[in-house]
């Protein structure tokens, strides 16, 4: 897919005008990431963020016992960013890793800031992305506490079927706060219903 075609799709419903798109599109550059490579490692400061054109990414943290826990899962069309690191220049606690080969569109912090401050519709679109990300994180955090594991899986299956179909069970399980064995049992239950 061409840069223009993909980014037109990304910005299509955001109210960004054609003239604004002509200012925005040149700021993005395509990057190809190989499976298992990192876009960001714990301790680094995020200086870019990415729109995924194709492929899958996970962000994960290491818990107090040294376990690798998936914090988020991303697929085509998603924005991948560690907001606190990007905006406050703080070292990240996340690792952001390619689960497959990826094609992404990357923008630097400097270009982002310039467009955020000069292109009103870009600013509004980015605010909407930030708010949406916050709500998704809050919803997931509450779900980990208040919902049964089966319900969490069914929500993920409904909202992101492409993730469930393409990401390993062990990453999905840690994202849902359960073991792979529990996830296998839930999947069997659902398939026999």
């Amino acid at each position: 897919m061409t840069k223009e075609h993909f980014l037109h799709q990304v910005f299509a419903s955001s109210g960004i005008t054609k003239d604004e798109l002509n200012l925005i599109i040149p700021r993005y550059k395509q990057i190809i990431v190989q499976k298992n490579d990192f876009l960001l490692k714990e301790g680094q400061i995020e200086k870019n963020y990415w729109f995924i054109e194709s492929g899958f990414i996970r962000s994960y943290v290491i818990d107090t016992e040294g376990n690798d826990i998936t914090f988020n899962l991303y697929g085509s069309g998603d924005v991948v960013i560690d907001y606190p690191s990007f905006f406050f220049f703080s070292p990240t606690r996340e690792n952001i890793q390619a689960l497959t080969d990826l094609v992404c569109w990357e923008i630097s912090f400097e270009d982002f800031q310039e467009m955020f401050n000069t292109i009103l519709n870009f600013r509004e679109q980015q605010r909407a992305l930030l708010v949406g990300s916050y709500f998704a994180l809050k919803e997931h955090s509450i779900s980990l506490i208040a919902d049964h594991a089966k319900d969490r899986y069914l929500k993920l299956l409904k909202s992101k079927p492409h993730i469930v179909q393409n990401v390993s069970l062990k990453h999905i399980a840690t994202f849902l706060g359960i073991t792979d064995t529990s996830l296998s049992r839930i999947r069997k239950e659902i398939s026999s219903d």
Side-chain angles (χ1 to χ4, degrees):
M1 185 177 305
T2 68
K3 176 183 190 176
E4 288 75 16
H5 185 254
F6 178 73
L7 292 174
H8 274 281
Q9 285 182 325
V10 166
F11 293 109
S13 63
S14 64
I16 290 176
T17 68
K18 189 173 184 177
D19 289 340
E20 290 169 331
L21 266 178
N22 290 334
L23 298 171
I24 293 168
I25 288 175
R27 304 296 182 101
Y28 285 86
K29 72 175 187 179
Q30 185 183 64
I31 62 163
I32 308 295
V33 181
Q34 302 302 307
K35 180 180 179 178
N36 296 324
D37 285 352
F38 288 85
L39 283 88
L40 188 67
K41 287 186 177 180
E42 182 179 0
Q44 295 177 329
I45 295 174
E46 176 124 36
K47 296 178 179 150
N48 302 293
Y49 85 87
W50 308 272
F51 281 110
I52 304 173
E53 180 178 324
S54 63
F56 295 91
I57 294 176
R58 75 178 180 124
S59 67
Y60 69 93
V61 295
I62 305 299
D63 72 8
T64 56
E65 296 174 12
N67 299 308
D68 166 327
I69 307 295
T70 300
F71 183 70
N72 212 337
L73 297 164
Y74 305 92
S76 179
D78 288 336
V79 171
V80 180
I81 184 172
D82 176 353
Y83 284 105
S85 182
F86 189 72
F87 288 113
F88 300 114
F89 310 108
S90 58
T92 186
R93 296 187 69 188
E94 294 180 56
N95 295 284
I96 299 177
Q97 183 181 35
L99 295 174
T100 62
D101 291 345
L102 301 170
V103 176
C104 296
W105 294 95
E106 177 182 85
I107 186 169
S108 70
F109 177 78
E110 293 78 16
D111 284 338
F112 174 89
Q113 280 295 103
E114 183 181 328
M115 291 189 301
F116 190 87
N117 291 320
T118 60
I119 303 173
L120 176 65
N121 288 322
F122 181 81
R123 178 172 46 246
E124 293 310 311
Q125 187 233 18
Q126 295 305 311
R127 281 186 184 156
L129 285 172
L130 177 60
V131 169
S133 177
Y134 169 76
F135 284 135
L137 176 61
K138 183 165 180 133
E139 176 74 23
H140 182 67
S141 297
I142 290 171
S143 184
L144 286 172
I145 296 165
D147 295 337
H148 292 286
K150 182 177 180 179
D151 295 331
R152 291 194 300 272
Y153 178 73
L154 288 170
K155 278 184 193 177
L156 181 64
L157 187 59
K158 183 179 179 183
S159 65
K160 294 187 173 187
H162 60 293
I163 296 287
V164 174
Q165 294 162 0
N166 292 286
V167 172
S168 79
L169 289 182
K170 78 175 185 174
H171 297 321
I172 292 170
T174 62
F175 176 68
L176 295 173
I178 59 179
T179 64
D180 341 15
T181 307
S182 295
L183 181 55
S184 292
R185 181 184 46 77
I186 289 167
R187 288 167 54 100
K188 282 180 189 167
E189 266 179 44
I190 291 169
S191 68
S192 68
D193 287 346

